Amino acid sequence: MRVTVVRGDITAEQVDAVVNAANNAMRGGGGVDGAIHRVGGPAVLADCRARFPRGLATGDAGWTTGGDLPARWIIHTVGPNRHAGETDRALLVSCYRRCLEVADELGARTVAFPLVGAGVYGWSVEESAGAAREAFDAASTAVEEARFVAFSDAAYEAASAALE
């Protein structure tokens, strides 16, 4: 699997699936989650409600329609919230591992990732990228490209250093 890092807006990526850094409720939120729901439109929330009536556990992943996004699917994953006491790094690694497993179930070959857990959930870009690298190195997947999409120049530099 090829791992790349780009600077941009994950909602505009031309890939099979985009990964959403969701919250447990699976009803939209701020940051990446809010942007994906806004651009994806009401079909995304409707699919979240239908597929995840009780939400999703931390470290797990599931999929919905891409709605109005260029991507066909959204793979939602719930990262651990360090500020809420969820400091087990294995949960962060699990997010990336589960995303690849869901991508394989869907037949997705190109997947755009945010830096799960980095930002409001309190993990650094380096910690998130390191967890991704660990999951990817151990994965047996048909995904051909894992593309990390950094929203800021600082995140792009840190992710590039950690992943490439």
Side-chain angles (χ1 to χ4, degrees):
M1 173 176 53
R2 185 175 71 248
V3 177
T4 59
V5 181
V6 299
R7 167 84 167 78
D9 176 355
I10 198 166
T11 67
E13 290 297 310
Q14 300 284 329
V15 291
D16 296 329
V18 297
V19 171
N20 179 24
N23 59 49
N24 293 104
M26 298 292 293
R27 301 298 181 261
V32 169
D33 193 18
I36 286 174
H37 275 265
R38 275 189 306 278
V39 176
V44 175
L45 181 57
D47 210 7
C48 281
R49 286 185 173 139
R51 291 178 187 276
F52 309 103
R54 292 181 181 80
L56 192 64
T58 301
D60 202 358
W63 67 275
T64 64
T65 178
D68 295 330
L69 292 172
R72 181 173 179 188
W73 300 290
I74 300 168
I75 300 173
H76 304 265
T77 191
V78 180
N81 185 339
R82 179 169 263 181
H83 299 304
E86 296 175 330
T87 59
D88 184 357
R89 185 177 178 280
L91 288 171
L92 193 55
V93 174
S94 178
C95 289
Y96 289 108
R97 179 182 50 77
R98 286 290 299 132
C99 285
L100 291 177
E101 290 170 356
V102 171
D104 283 340
E105 291 168 14
L106 295 169
R109 297 296 172 253
T110 55
V111 182
F113 286 85
L115 291 153
V116 176
V120 69
Y121 274 18
W123 296 85
S124 71
V125 169
E126 293 81 6
E127 289 169 320
S128 181
R133 176 54 66 197
E134 182 179 330
F136 293 173
D137 287 349
S140 174
T141 182
V143 171
E144 296 167 3
E145 181 187 6
R147 182 182 308 163
F148 280 84
V149 183
F151 192 70
S152 70
D153 290 335
Y156 171 80
E157 294 300 325
S160 294
L163 287 165
E164 292 184 337

